Amino acid sequence: MDSQQSSRASDSPGDTMNDVYNAWYEMLEGEGAGLAARVAELEVRCARQAEELLCLRSTLADALRRLNALEGRAPAPTPAHRNGSYTGSTGTPTREVRLRQPYRETAKRTSSFGSSASSLPQRRGPQHQSTGSLQSDSPASSSSLSPAPSPSPRATPAPHLAPHPTHTYRSRNNSTSSNQSASATNALTKRWNSTGDFNAQGLLPSSSTHTCQYNEEEGSMRMYLRGRPVVLYGPSDQDGLDPAKVAPPPQSKLKLEWVYGYRGKDCRSNLYLLPTGEIVYFVAAVVVLMNVEEQCQRHYTGHTDDVKCLAIHPNKLIVASGQCAGHDRVDARPHVRVWNSVSLATLAVLGGGQLQRGVAGLAFSRADGGLLAALDEAPDHTIAVWDWQRPDKHCLAETKCSVDTVVAVEFHPLDRNQIVTCGKNHIAFWTLDQTNMLYKRMGVFEGRDKPKYVTCLAFNPNGDVLSGDSNGNIIVWGRGTNTIAKLVRGVHEGPVFSLCCLKDGGVVSGGGKDGRLVMFDSEMNATGMENVIEGHYGGVRVVAEGRGSQLYVGTTRNCILHGDLQLGFSPAVLGHVEELWGLAAHPSLPQFVTAGWDRLLQLWDGLSHSTVWSKDIEERAQCCAWSRDGGAVAVGCLSGRWLVFDPHSRELLASHHDGCEPIQTIQYSPNNELVALGSRDNFIYVYQVQDSGARYSRLGKCLGHSSYITHLDWSEDSQYIRSNSGDYELLFWNATTCRQITNPTSMRDVSWSSSTCPITFHTLGVWPENADGTDINSCTRSNDGRLVATGDDFGKVKLFAYPVTQPKSLSHAYGGHSSHVTCVRFLSDDSRLLSAGGLDTAVLQWILD
């Protein structure tokens, strides 16, 4: 008994110590677990606060910009260059910004597809002024404020478009757009100086030593187009002209006010939301920053040709945009521009002498944004990495990326110096080492699951790489590996065009064919939430996260939608999809119609910048015109048909067919009793208008041109027609008899109601030296007879003082379009000019200042 007690007594101190140690260890373990949880919570909170600080910082910068504009004070100037490099780290505009009071009248919202007849006149109101310009004194930027209702959706779904027929007809002038291959681009010999054309005054002489000869006895000017003489007779009271004299430019100038359209049909990752609440996207050669809620736009206009890609800096304030090769081998070379989204000042220009064809993709490094990766569309598909903040814009690394097409590039958000690219038949994981060498590992697919294209990339919070492919699958690649960690099959019918990782860890995928948006959680498990966008908007091209649960969706038919998965989506931006030639302004209201090869006829309001309605006319349209009372819209089609619609009800009023060639131009007579149609079959068809534009009966056709009709005008008394053709003729016609007036001197004193014919005595100065007759696609005179605007083959809109009778006439020239400008028209009150791009599908609205 004593021995047991002594043994128990001897064991008790050790047991006590063990218990103390165990309790101490458990306490430390518990404290450690709690500390780790608190640290994780603090990290999340710090990340949220960093995002809030970033948003506040950008909002403050935007507010300061607006305050400076309201007070009429220009921000501190910085040496921003449109076509040169910028060595500073920040930038502000170098011009005074004047912010006009926005239009406060509440516009009446109509039903989903437009307005009634009674509501159309109500859209007139105070004119809005923009605060930017494409003039040379602008820091490659412009802006506009105009609160307005959001656009209405398309009225009727468009059918699936068949491939273009292989007929030889492409456009009126057979010009080549920059969207085509590099070989075609290099074959161009015409010069396009988008910004280099401006001298110190921002003026552009139309010719230097024009080969024009003035005959004082006859009062005629002989000009040469492609070596062919064209004799133009001036009015009988015309004073003598000296062909060597230089005519001054007009006092009026243009400022870019609004850009209609979006490029989603063939570009990726081109829609982002900035902390200021603006979405940034591009169309033609313009990058648009648009606040959908306030319905206002700003524009970065530093590019000289098609913008193809965008990237956003981690600080959400700096944007990089890349363009393709343009018409001019020097000033329109493919390059990357880095710029400030608040001031719109250019910070850096990269790759001007290295990139060959165009920039297919861009990405900033996620850590500090100091590196910028770019993909070249050249045949060897190179990838280059720049330290873009260095004064010498040093290219750290450049290497051949893949023998196949590469469509996307991204820096890894967690693993520094890790880059991922993808494209046809591959996904590649790159490492940029300390010696600035790029090493590549190819992703390993399971044999039967290898897709034809890996179409998009994203990253989840764990650092895993997500890829969508042409099979409709989503693949999760484990962080730091090139092997598949998870495969989600059959998410979409057709390719996955976009993957958007949300702030809460969720993922939204967009289908390019089925138009579905599908929500996943952070582990790529379907949540059951999804939505389908309406088919006439196209498939999903890109998805961008908005505020709260809102999403922005760019589509393959050049639309931008906004909404959420529960309530659906409505259009924020509508546009045309294929080549655009038809443009006509309303005779009395600030409205206009456009018609293109995508079979869409759309009515727009120039004050609210919105779509009144959109209609599928089931014909590829080439031209359009308003009746003089505004009660009908006529549309000429590529098939030789021409259609007449009621602009209020959108009903088809009449349909006629003349020949089997495209209808090139349509014009109503000033008395609204006749309509003339110029066809590519060399004839002008004249119809009598009856029942207020509801019925038409043909009077005859004008025979005499040896080439296709390009433009025509009516005399003010509706008795005569003048016309231009593809072989540079100017002919005159009696409208009622359809007979040619063979003595042009008898028509020298006729007053013309319009001036859409560029080959006339009063517009001969719009032609540049050595013009081949196809350089000027469109010409129009302002309604007050003071100005002439032209659109040419080089993406330029030019403004002249009317009449332009001097061969050497100075003009104001403006870029923005990346394709041939197919049509220009003034609104009825001459407050604005509209220009339509051909293959860039954009409509630019300019305000006269």
Side-chain angles (χ1 to χ4, degrees), residues 248-261:
Q251 293 183 350
S252 301
K253 296 182 180 181
L254 298 177
K255 292 181 180 180
L256 183 60
E257 180 186 30
W258 200 264
V259 176
Y260 301 91

Side-chain angles (χ1 to χ4, degrees), residues 49 103 289 317 365 392 429 439 462 577 664 768 844:
Q49 290 178 350
Y103 177 44
L289 298 95
L317 296 177
S365 56
D392 58 354
F429 302 89
Y439 297 93
N462 300 326
V577 188
Q664 297 279 99
L844 304 188

Side-chain angles (χ1 to χ4, degrees), residues 233-289:
Y233 292 91
S236 56
D237 59 353
Q238 175 69 45
D239 295 332
L241 292 177
D242 180 6
K245 185 179 179 180
V246 178
Q251 293 183 350
S252 301
K253 296 182 180 181
L254 298 177
K255 292 181 180 180
L256 183 60
E257 180 186 30
W258 200 264
V259 176
Y260 301 91
Y262 159 75
R263 183 165 182 170
K265 61 179 181 179
D266 58 355
C267 292
R268 308 165 189 269
S269 301
N270 59 357
L271 178 63
Y272 298 94
L273 178 70
L274 299 178
T276 55
E278 297 169 306
I279 55 174
V280 56
Y281 59 94
F282 56 78
V283 63
V286 182
V287 184
V288 182
L289 298 95

Side-chain angles (χ1 to χ4, degrees), residues 187-201:
L188 290 171
T189 59
K190 301 174 184 177
R191 180 167 180 77
W192 180 19
N193 290 336
S194 180
T195 54
D197 286 339
F198 298 104
N199 58 18
Q201 289 77 32

Side-chain angles (χ1 to χ4, degrees), residues 638-699:
L638 295 186
S639 62
R641 285 186 67 194
W642 58 281
L643 312 170
V644 182
F645 295 92
D646 185 327
H648 305 301
S649 64
R650 304 187 294 283
E651 294 179 356
L652 179 66
L653 299 178
S655 175
H656 296 270
H657 206 291
D658 289 298
C660 57
E661 295 289 329
I663 303 297
Q664 297 279 99
T665 179
I666 298 179
Q667 294 288 342
Y668 281 85
S669 63
N671 61 13
N672 211 43
E673 296 178 359
L674 300 172
V675 63
L677 303 92
S679 173
R680 200 172 176 84
D681 63 8
N682 304 355
F683 302 139
I684 298 174
Y685 300 91
V686 181
Y687 279 77
Q688 188 171 6
V689 182
Q690 301 169 336
D691 295 345
S692 299
R695 290 197 307 118
Y696 297 80
S697 57
R698 192 163 90 173
L699 292 181

Side-chain angles (χ1 to χ4, degrees), residues 19-238:
D19 293 340
V20 171
Y21 287 135
N22 290 336
W24 179 69
Y25 179 78
E26 290 175 0
M27 181 180 66
L28 286 179
E29 191 175 29
E31 288 293 331
L35 180 63
R38 289 196 298 273
V39 169
E41 183 181 355
L42 285 173
E43 289 178 346
V44 172
R45 187 174 300 177
C46 288
R48 291 177 180 174
Q49 290 178 350
E51 293 178 358
E52 292 175 0
L53 288 173
L54 178 61
C55 184
L56 288 173
R57 175 183 166 192
S58 59
T59 305
L60 178 60
D62 186 57
L64 290 174
R65 177 182 61 81
R66 297 193 181 199
L67 284 174
N68 285 329
L70 285 171
E71 294 174 1
R73 293 184 291 105
T78 54
H81 302 283
R82 290 184 58 150
N83 283 322
S85 60
Y86 174 80
T87 58
S89 59
T90 60
T92 54
T94 60
R95 61 181 169 83
E96 180 179 354
V97 182
R98 302 188 307 275
L99 190 67
R100 306 288 183 179
Q101 289 296 328
Y103 177 44
R104 295 299 182 187
E105 182 181 22
T106 56
K108 178 180 178 182
R109 286 186 178 268
T110 61
S111 59
S112 60
F113 299 123
S115 57
S116 63
S118 62
S119 67
L120 287 176
Q122 297 176 1
R123 292 182 177 270
R124 302 189 64 138
Q127 298 173 5
H128 314 296
Q129 300 289 333
S130 74
T131 59
S133 169
L134 291 186
Q135 282 295 92
S136 59
D137 57 355
S138 146
S141 64
S142 70
S143 60
S144 171
L145 294 179
S146 177
S150 58
S152 304
R154 301 187 191 276
T156 52
H160 178 70
L161 298 179
H164 289 288
T166 56
H167 51 68
T168 57
Y169 171 71
R170 195 195 70 78
S171 68
R172 178 180 296 140
N173 52 29
N174 295 323
S175 64
T176 304
S177 169
S178 59
N179 295 358
Q180 298 179 357
S181 64
S183 60
T185 302
N186 293 336
L188 290 171
T189 59
K190 301 174 184 177
R191 180 167 180 77
W192 180 19
N193 290 336
S194 180
T195 54
D197 286 339
F198 298 104
N199 58 18
Q201 289 77 32
L203 307 178
L204 178 69
S206 64
S207 59
S208 54
T209 56
H210 210 297
T211 55
C212 285
Q213 301 169 357
Y214 182 68
N215 187 320
E216 190 171 356
E217 294 182 0
E218 296 181 355
S220 65
M221 184 75 75
R222 180 187 297 268
M223 64 180 295
Y224 294 87
L225 292 176
R226 213 170 188 176
R228 177 172 179 169
V230 180
V231 179
L232 305 171
Y233 292 91
S236 56
D237 59 353
Q238 175 69 45

